[in-house]
Amino acid sequence: MVRVVIVRTMITVAPTGAEVSKGEFPALPVTLPELLDTAIACERAGASVLHIHLRDGAGQPTLDVGQAREALSLLRQETQLILQLSTGGAVSDSESARLAILDAQPDSVSVTCGTVNFGDAVFANRWPFVAELYQRVLGLGIYPEFEIFDLGQIGTLRRLLDEFGRPAGDHVHVDLVAGVPGGMPGSAATIMACVHELDPDWTFTATGIGRTTLPVILASLAVGGHIRVGMEDSLTFAKGERVQSNLQLVERAASLASLAQRPVIAPHEARSLLGIARD
Ligand code: KMH
Ligand code: ZN
């Protein structure tokens, strides 16, 4: 069933990720001041959710809880954004480190619903790990965004809900991550296949990795979905043209949303859409 398009658009920005190197892409925000500047600029341009991966002093991905607490505290002072920490981390991160990051008490976390090939690596999400992660998220009252890298992972999401119940706020929101080499393709057909499998009261964001960013944005806007952009996902703005900044990607996403007559929502509206209280 295709949902009726009535809602405005929530933009998530994923500015850093765990895979891109600062040496190769100097515009990548890796320090706390860089992340803060990016967050402030992207909020002004229409983002309402910040999907966060932190880097250490050497620019390497880190799941350090102290660093995460410091980042969240500063971002909370300076922005209204929904602060979503990645529990995916980097493919090399241990399950225990991915669970421990919850102690930083973000507004939201990503919960990936299954294992997927990830280029030459494997992004491992065994059922026992996902179940443990989700139960801890529920216990702490953190809002989970369910990351779907392949169609079958929607089945795992249903199993989580059946066995452990619905999220805090009683609203289910998924992020369709399409175009990862090894995951579902970044095409309009893929987005539609997923949409047909979602319950009508769930909402979704879609993100297309690499060159699939535009078809995925356009497909999602066409069927009532929300959109995620950022240098975690795309480093090419147009053929032969590198992304200059996360802001550039958010500005383009916001203007496409306006063009689709689905202008962006502010962070407080995104909180009410997802059922997240601001503490
Ligand atoms: N970096 C990927 C291995 C998430 O943030 O939850 C996992 C990822 C998903 O980015
Ligand atoms: Zn991520």
Side-chain angles (χ1 to χ4, degrees), residues 139-189:
L140 291 165
I142 298 171
Y143 187 75
E145 179 182 86
F146 300 101
E147 311 292 316
I148 304 295
F149 286 71
D150 221 334
L151 194 58
Q153 294 181 6
I154 296 172
T156 300
L157 164 56
R158 287 191 185 284
R159 186 175 172 194
L160 285 175
L161 299 174
D162 288 348
E163 293 195 18
F164 308 116
R166 287 169 69 97
D170 196 38
H171 182 72
V172 176
H173 183 79
V174 310
D175 180 28
L176 306 174
V177 185
V180 166
M184 61 188 173
S187 65

Side-chain angles (χ1 to χ4, degrees), residues 12 158 274:
T12 298
R158 287 191 185 284
L274 301 175

Side-chain angles (χ1 to χ4, degrees), residues 18-19 51 53 86-91 110 112 118 123 147 149 232:
E19 287 76 33
H51 172 81
H53 289 254
S86 168
T87 66
V91 288
S110 53
T112 297
F118 200 81
F123 179 30
E147 311 292 316
F149 286 71
E232 173 169 346

Side-chain angles (χ1 to χ4, degrees), residues 13-92:
V13 60
T16 309
E19 287 76 33
V20 181
S21 88
K22 177 85 170 168
E24 219 178 321
F25 288 89
L28 192 77
V30 298
T31 64
L32 189 45
E34 286 170 349
L35 180 61
L36 189 61
D37 286 352
T38 299
I40 292 169
C42 290
E43 180 178 15
R44 283 199 193 116
S48 44
V49 182
L50 182 69
H51 172 81
I52 304 166
H53 289 254
L54 294 167
R55 299 291 178 99
D56 64 16
Q60 296 304 309
T62 178
L63 290 173
D64 182 80
V65 177
Q67 200 176 318
R69 281 205 189 101
E70 188 190 355
L72 292 175
S73 162
L74 201 57
L75 288 160
R76 277 200 180 108
Q77 284 167 38
E78 302 294 333
T79 79
Q80 299 292 313
L81 292 164
I82 294 172
L83 302 178
Q84 179 185 91
L85 281 180
S86 168
T87 66
V91 288
S92 51

